[in-house]
Amino acid sequence: MFTFEEIPAYQGDVSFQAAVSDDRRAVTITFSDVTVELGNAPTDTALTASRSLFLVLPLVGGPGRAEIELNVQAGVLLTEGAHATLLSSVNGRSTVTDFLVEPDQTVVQTLTLVADTPAECRLFAMLMVGRDSRFPEATALANLVSIDAEVLPRAPQPPGPVS
């Protein structure tokens, strides 16, 4: 059985908090500064901006096959003429989500790592925002909220109350 090892505290310029379950089969990582914005200041005339992160979550266990589910949660605020994209990757498997102009959006991308005796989960995420030059007043704000990772199969849950 695979479990998460101690997560290195320093992982580039990203501030995060990691909470590992007692059995070390699940981890939740929350972020306070993985944000990208565009057009939120009068002097901001850029048409694109991006912010990325790279984290390594060491694993122990094996030998054998590991299956780990990762859920990447992001929030986005856009006005007309702006767009945003979230790209997430774990050990080379990637997914991309594009955001349309809708009020206050949240998305959860699910990735699954399946590998023989992996040493770690290598997580990459990139937030990209942009605006159409015909909409110079358009604004965009995107932030990475959290990443939840869990070794599968999930641990059995205690039975709920009987009605």
Side-chain angles (χ1 to χ4, degrees):
M1 170 178 48
F2 286 88
T3 59
F4 291 99
E5 186 67 18
E6 190 67 32
I7 298 168
Y10 178 77
Q11 303 226 14
D13 66 344
V14 175
S15 295
F16 66 92
Q17 296 292 320
V20 181
S21 66
D22 291 339
D23 64 3
R24 305 201 65 79
R25 292 173 48 89
V27 62
T28 296
I29 302 168
T30 55
F31 304 94
S32 60
D33 67 344
V34 183
T35 301
V36 62
E37 54 187 307
L38 190 64
N40 293 317
T43 57
D44 183 359
T45 59
L47 296 178
T48 62
S50 65
R51 176 80 160 100
S52 63
L53 70 87
F54 187 80
L55 297 174
V56 176
L57 305 179
L59 297 167
V60 294
R65 194 159 192 79
E67 185 173 356
I68 300 168
E69 181 180 273
L70 298 105
N71 293 297
V72 179
Q73 182 178 357
V76 175
L77 294 170
L78 302 171
T79 62
E80 183 180 6
H83 60 274
T85 301
L86 170 62
L87 177 135
S88 299
S89 178
V90 61
N91 293 28
R93 294 186 54 120
S94 303
T95 187
V96 176
T97 301
D98 291 311
F99 295 89
L100 304 173
V101 177
E102 294 176 12
D104 202 8
Q105 302 171 69
T106 301
V107 67
V108 176
Q109 290 180 333
T110 300
L111 299 118
T112 303
L113 167 64
V114 178
D116 291 323
T117 315
E120 70 265 330
C121 289
R122 294 178 308 278
L123 302 168
F124 174 77
M126 176 178 271
L127 292 165
M128 298 165 277
V129 294
R131 62 179 159 191
D132 187 317
S133 61
R134 296 172 296 173
F135 294 87
E137 303 298 317
T139 61
L141 172 68
N143 71 304
L144 190 62
V145 177
S146 65
I147 297 174
D148 293 301
E150 186 172 9
V151 176
L152 300 178
R154 289 182 171 82
Q157 299 297 313
V162 177
S163 303

